[in-house]
Amino acid sequence: MARFDLITIFPDYFEALELSLIGKARTQGLVDIAVHDLRDHAEGVHKSVDDTPYGGGAGMVMSPEPWGKAIDLVSQGSGPHDLIILTPAGKKFTQAMAEEFSHREHLIFACGRYEGIDHRVTEFYSSQPEFRVHEVSIGDYVLNGGEVATLVMLEAIIRLIPGVLGNPLSLAEESHTLTSEGEAIVEYPNFTKPPEWRGLEVPEILLSGNHAAIKAFRTQEAVKRTVNRE
Ligand code: 6GU
């Protein structure tokens, strides 16, 4: 079973992982998710996890020591371990990355806060043969920390794990699924009953029962949407 270890100073963010599809995947034994409080690895009366940046500048930087202890503890078993460090400076998260991570046995999410984690944490684990380190961002905007970004990634990854979705056929037709030519295309617009709502009618072709025509119409609409988004 795939294991996910999440390291954070705000474990409560991850209560959402008890809900819905992910909550069900956990109780069904399809995924094993553990949340760890970074502060359990902090020293001193104040249990401080951050300090001022060398070289000066605004904000605080997370200290390497508690991160090293926490990551060592969750990676005690044999590897490989994929360590994901959440940072707005990371590589942009995509559906292709979600797909790749959905095949991994052990993912560790390091949720940074403040101005990020001392860079030597990335350097150290990158030098460890059992680790693959990924600095990841979920988009070009700044969040206060990596917790919400981790929730986003987990939702995208876990729904791709076999058995998690009720109807795996729905995966093939959804947005960002790669075409046979390797292009990411967004989904065609969907309609359900009633056939007319507030004066707006469902495109007639969808009611025609002509499957070839419906397929062609949907492809055309999906391409329009994909082009308009860029
Ligand atoms: Cl992963 N972290 C933070 N703090 N901000 C972000 C992000 C991550 N991805 C986009 N913005």
Side-chain angles (χ1 to χ4, degrees):
M1 185 193 345
R3 176 161 178 104
F4 299 80
D5 283 296
L6 321 181
I7 308 168
T8 174
I9 57 168
F10 293 116
D12 290 353
Y13 264 102
F14 298 106
E15 282 174 19
L17 298 175
E18 284 160 31
L19 307 174
S20 188
L21 218 73
I22 296 181
K24 208 158 150 201
R26 295 173 81 177
T27 54
Q28 288 180 331
L30 296 171
V31 293
D32 178 10
I33 302 175
V35 182
H36 310 273
D37 191 340
L38 180 71
R39 235 176 265 283
D40 292 346
H41 303 282
E43 305 281 349
V45 275
H46 299 293
K47 298 261 172 206
S48 165
V49 293
D50 61 342
D51 211 329
T52 53
Y54 277 120
M60 300 290 271
V61 176
M62 297 192 99
S63 313
E65 293 99 335
W67 281 108
K69 287 178 186 161
I71 295 165
D72 288 351
L73 196 72
V74 300
S75 59
Q76 273 176 357
S78 69
H81 314 284
D82 283 87
L83 172 61
I84 297 167
I85 299 181
L86 285 308
T87 162
K91 184 171 166 189
K92 191 105 52 83
F93 184 56
T94 61
Q95 187 68 23
M97 285 163 78
E99 165 71 31
E100 199 174 309
F101 288 137
S102 75
H103 301 292
R104 299 286 173 255
E105 271 303 303
H106 188 205
L107 296 172
I108 303 165
F109 289 80
C111 302
R113 285 255 144 190
Y114 318 113
E115 303 307 310
I117 303 172
D118 187 303
H119 191 61
R120 289 170 292 180
V121 174
T122 297
E123 285 179 36
F124 176 80
Y125 289 100
S126 296
S127 76
Q128 301 298 297
E130 298 268 270
F131 280 82
R132 290 184 288 244
V133 180
H134 317 266
E135 289 186 325
V136 181
S137 159
I138 60 163
D140 293 338
Y141 37 79
V142 177
L143 306 172
N144 291 329
E147 285 77 8
V148 170
T150 294
L151 287 170
V152 167
M153 289 184 66
L154 288 173
E155 186 150 319
I157 294 165
I158 290 172
R159 62 193 295 287
L160 299 178
I161 292 175
V164 171
L165 277 198
N167 178 10
L169 278 182
S170 58
L171 279 180
E173 292 209 352
E174 70 189 9
S175 293
H176 303 293
T177 301
L178 299 185
T179 64
S180 51
E181 275 85 52
E183 294 169 297
I185 196 163
V186 299
E187 200 181 9
Y188 49 79
N190 288 297
F191 302 89
T192 184
K193 290 178 270 303
E196 192 230 297
W197 177 75
R198 298 193 179 178
L200 300 171
E201 287 179 2
V202 172
E204 210 179 311
I205 204 155
L206 297 178
L207 314 177
S208 70
N210 181 340
H211 297 295
I214 289 171
K215 192 166 181 238
F217 172 77
R218 283 178 164 168
T219 301
Q220 173 196 307
E221 293 302 303
V223 169
K224 262 196 232 167
R225 270 184 159 187
T226 305
V227 170
N228 281 334
R229 260 168 38 95
E230 283 159 3

